[in-house]
Amino acid sequence: MAATHRATVRWQRTGDDFDIKTFRREHVIEYEGGERVRASAAPDYSGDPSCVDPEQGLTGSLSSCHMLTFLAIASLRGYVVDAYEDEAEAELGKNDRGRSFVAKITLRPQVRFGGAKRPDAEAFAALHRKAHENCFIANSVRSEVVIEPRISAV
């Protein structure tokens, strides 16, 4: 049986009106286990910049999934990863029907390895390629996903 993952999104009108220009976009996303995230529309769409917007959430989800898949593969191949940091970025564009969408997500994972076994550049790229091919989120989106991995110095 396939795993099921749930999130509950809660929003409530707080003002007297419901005008497209003024209604509040802030809401809460609650995940199984109790984690709560303050969310809103992107600032360009009248959202609160102190909250996570959906495009940031997608970017973070993809980056997190890629990292977790990478760590699993690295471990299985006998590498020790000491640190992993990704400065992921999403770009909006227009699809062939003129609709806005997340056109490209670039991951820039920087990885620091420990232990005696270290991947050379080819093995490092292969780890990221395999992680991308097996990332559940990457396999779920139509956006172009670019991986620009970097190895950290010790």
Side-chain angles (χ1 to χ4, degrees), residues 72-153:
I73 293 166
S75 177
L76 288 169
R77 299 218 173 137
Y79 297 109
V80 175
V81 177
D82 285 343
Y84 184 111
E85 182 176 312
D86 187 3
E87 296 174 5
E89 180 178 81
E91 296 176 31
L92 295 181
K94 299 281 185 182
N95 67 15
D96 56 359
R97 297 181 315 172
R99 305 262 188 211
S100 295
F101 79 120
V102 176
K104 181 178 179 181
I105 299 173
T106 301
L107 306 182
R108 296 181 181 92
Q110 186 164 339
V111 182
R112 189 174 71 237
F113 291 91
K117 183 178 179 182
R118 308 283 174 108
D120 61 17
E122 186 177 320
F124 184 60
L127 287 168
H128 279 287
R129 195 168 38 255
K130 188 79 167 168
H132 180 63
E133 290 169 357
N134 289 283
C135 171
F136 301 156
I137 303 301
N139 286 318
S140 301
V141 297
R142 295 187 331 201
S143 305
E144 175 187 7
V145 179
V146 177
I147 313 294
E148 297 176 350
R150 304 164 292 160
I151 294 179
S152 286

Side-chain angles (χ1 to χ4, degrees), residues 7-51:
T8 301
V9 175
R10 290 192 174 89
W11 174 88
Q12 186 169 338
R13 183 170 54 87
T14 57
D16 292 335
D17 66 5
F18 188 64
D19 185 276
I20 187 69
K21 295 177 186 171
T22 58
F23 78 84
R24 294 181 57 94
R25 273 74 170 167
E26 294 82 15
H27 56 282
V28 174
I29 304 171
E30 187 171 321
Y31 296 94
E32 292 175 293
E35 185 66 33
R36 295 170 51 94
V37 175
R38 290 179 50 247
S40 184
D44 290 346
Y45 297 94
S46 304
D48 181 343
S50 71
C51 297

